[in-house]
Amino acid sequence: MTKTQHLVAAALASVALTAPAFAADDTIKIGFATAESGFMEAYDKPATDAALIRIDEINKAGGLLGKQIEVVKADTKSDRAEGAKAGLTVIDDGADLVVVSCDYDFGSPAALAAEDAGKVSFFLCAESVKAGIQGVGPLSFSASVLAPVQGAAMSEWAFKEKGAKDFYKLLDTWTVYNKGICDGFDWMMPKLEAQGAKLVGEDTFKNEDASIAAQITRIKSLPKEPDAIMLCTMMPGGVSAVKQIRAAGINSMILTGSGMDGSYWLPAVPDLSNFFIPVQGSIYGDDPNPDVKKFNAAFKEKTGADPSSQYAYPGYVMVDVWAKAVERAGSTDAEAVVAELEKMKDEPTLFGPRTFTSELHHQNNATYLVVDVEKGKPGVVGKWTLSEPVPMDAIMK
């Protein structure tokens, strides 16, 4: 039994079990077992707010299967054991869909509870392959795009669109997400090397490291500055790493993952330039899709603020694709809904096409917007779709 399964079992033992409540005949229920407090709230709340926008749109258009969608919630408190309890709570409240936290480690206890109850679960924006079939079971999905796609897409884009030839890999070993970014980079590099690119060095650090001076020294000791540094990291340590790289006078392109999206941290690195991030949609008012701009306005009207990063968007996508599957199945029955989700190939959504299969409940390819930060100002400078999907052996590395 895995650690998360032990947590679910413990929660089952500690919660008084009663006959599950079922949704009223005139409603369909979506249960959010997500963080409303603690550090995970910063990730879960924007995606939840986006999901609520899509739910409101569906209800105003007549509902789902002619029924209104009702929302029930339970706070995981950013704690794994509480996550299992929260999952059981929304299931007991009659949830037809269980929405869980934006991270495999913190969302899986609630997702495992849903799997055990025969309910579909959706991770808000987890980007580990474990947040689905491989780590939870056949009823579990993620609304975001796998981390390896980010590393692969950014390196291919930099080579083909920006002429980068010499690459350096710098991996923050803190999380599976960070490793996934570099796994995608590792898969792409031999393809680029066959076309003239070169990996000139690689190194690691830890998110909590106060200094990466040794790593920077090794970069500066190269015969010449690399064209691009693939920086596989996330907040908060990613900010310190970027600041130190630039303070050392290294001006290489910095390529990174979606976890570094957002302008809130940019004042910590004044006048940052030549810094590139893949995003599913732009929060900066310059998305080429007018419907995304409308969504951003609706998000601000609902919450009082602009989306803080692109991680708000998968919440909207999650409700959209699940609702489509329910309509096509004519039912909220989990197996019927999963069958319809697994038929989706390049299903159009506001934030790009989505594909699910019986082997993968994630995206192993996507069209990304590329955001460039120049003199501290982020903006979209391009769009990129991988030349081929990332294969399972690279995803499962």
Side-chain angles (χ1 to χ4, degrees):
M1 184 178 285
T2 66
K3 184 176 180 180
T4 48
Q5 287 170 326
H6 276 297
L7 290 169
V8 173
L12 282 165
S14 64
V15 177
L17 297 178
T18 60
F22 293 96
D25 288 343
D26 60 344
T27 64
I28 288 174
K29 289 188 178 181
I30 296 180
F32 287 81
T34 55
E36 298 177 30
S37 58
F39 81 97
M40 278 299 299
E41 181 185 10
Y43 297 92
D44 288 0
K45 189 178 186 304
T48 297
D49 288 337
L52 295 176
I53 289 173
R54 185 66 186 121
I55 290 170
D56 287 344
E57 290 173 349
I58 292 170
N59 281 340
K60 287 176 182 177
L64 185 58
L65 300 180
K67 303 176 182 181
Q68 291 291 287
I69 298 174
E70 180 182 346
V71 171
V72 294
K73 293 183 177 181
D75 186 6
T76 68
K77 303 176 184 177
S78 299
D79 179 86
R80 291 176 176 86
E82 291 294 331
K85 294 178 183 178
L88 292 168
T89 296
V90 299
I91 291 165
D92 193 53
D93 285 341
D96 298 290
L97 168 67
V98 178
V99 179
V100 306
S101 279
C102 189
D103 175 80
Y104 169 70
D105 291 323
F106 288 90
S108 56
L112 285 164
E115 192 78 18
D116 188 60
K119 302 287 185 180
V120 173
S121 66
F122 253 102
F123 287 79
L124 280 170
C125 55
E127 294 171 345
S128 164
V129 72
K130 291 183 178 180
I133 300 171
Q134 286 75 14
V136 177
L139 304 182
S140 188
F141 294 76
S142 178
S144 199
V145 182
L146 287 165
V149 181
Q150 299 168 26
M154 290 308 293
S155 50
E156 186 177 50
W157 172 83
F159 177 78
K160 294 191 174 180
E161 293 293 305
K162 301 292 284 185
K165 295 291 180 66
D166 296 338
F167 289 82
Y168 195 95
K169 182 178 79 170
L170 187 54
L171 167 63
D172 167 6
T173 59
W174 183 38
T175 64
V176 172
Y177 166 74
N178 296 343
K179 182 178 180 296
I181 298 170
C182 272
D183 286 345
F185 172 81
D186 291 343
W187 169 74
M188 178 55 68
M189 272 309 298
K191 301 176 185 300
L192 301 184
E193 287 172 336
Q195 302 172 63
K198 184 179 181 182
L199 180 64
V200 296
E202 56 186 294
D203 215 331
T204 64
F205 70 103
K206 294 181 180 178
N207 198 268
E208 62 190 19
D209 288 345
S211 171
I212 59 167
Q215 292 87 341
I216 286 172
T217 296
R218 286 188 282 272
I219 295 173
K220 290 180 71 70
S221 68
L222 292 168
K224 77 178 192 69
E225 190 173 272
D227 298 323
I229 297 171
M230 185 72 242
L231 179 61
C232 306
T233 190
M234 62 184 294
M235 305 298 179
V239 180
S240 175
V242 171
K243 186 174 183 178
Q244 291 179 65
I245 290 168
R246 287 297 187 248
I250 299 171
N251 297 311
S252 306
M253 294 174 62
I254 297 179
L255 313 172
T256 191
S258 302
M260 293 295 288
D261 186 35
S263 59
Y264 58 92
W265 63 271
L266 292 176
V269 192
D271 297 321
L272 176 64
S273 293
N274 213 20
F275 186 85
F276 300 90
I277 314 158
V279 299
Q280 298 175 50
S282 174
I283 65 173
Y284 306 109
D286 59 351
D287 196 293
N289 183 347
D291 289 335
V292 173
K293 293 179 182 178
K294 290 179 183 177
F295 169 84
N296 289 343
F299 188 96
K300 187 170 185 176
E301 181 178 356
K302 183 177 182 65
T303 67
D306 294 316
S308 57
S309 81
Q310 65 102 45
Y311 281 110
Y313 301 141
Y316 185 95
V317 172
M318 170 203 67
V319 174
D320 186 48
V321 295
W322 180 78
K324 287 177 180 177
V326 168
E327 288 284 3
R328 292 167 189 175
S331 168
T332 58
D333 174 76
E335 290 188 4
V337 172
V338 167
E340 291 300 328
L341 284 165
E342 290 178 348
K343 293 176 185 176
M344 290 183 177
K345 181 174 175 56
D346 295 329
E347 183 73 29
T349 79
L350 190 58
F351 300 100
R354 292 294 184 268
T355 297
F356 301 105
T357 71
S358 59
E359 294 181 346
L360 188 63
H361 288 176
H362 291 262
Q363 307 308 301
N364 64 345
N365 203 352
T367 296
Y368 275 115
L369 298 178
V370 179
V371 167
D372 176 19
V373 179
E374 291 295 332
K375 295 183 178 179
K377 301 294 183 183
V380 174
V381 293
K383 180 185 291 189
W384 194 255
T385 304
L386 276 176
S387 54
E388 60 181 287
V390 181
M392 285 297 294
D393 59 346
I395 292 168
M396 296 296 293
K397 184 177 176 183

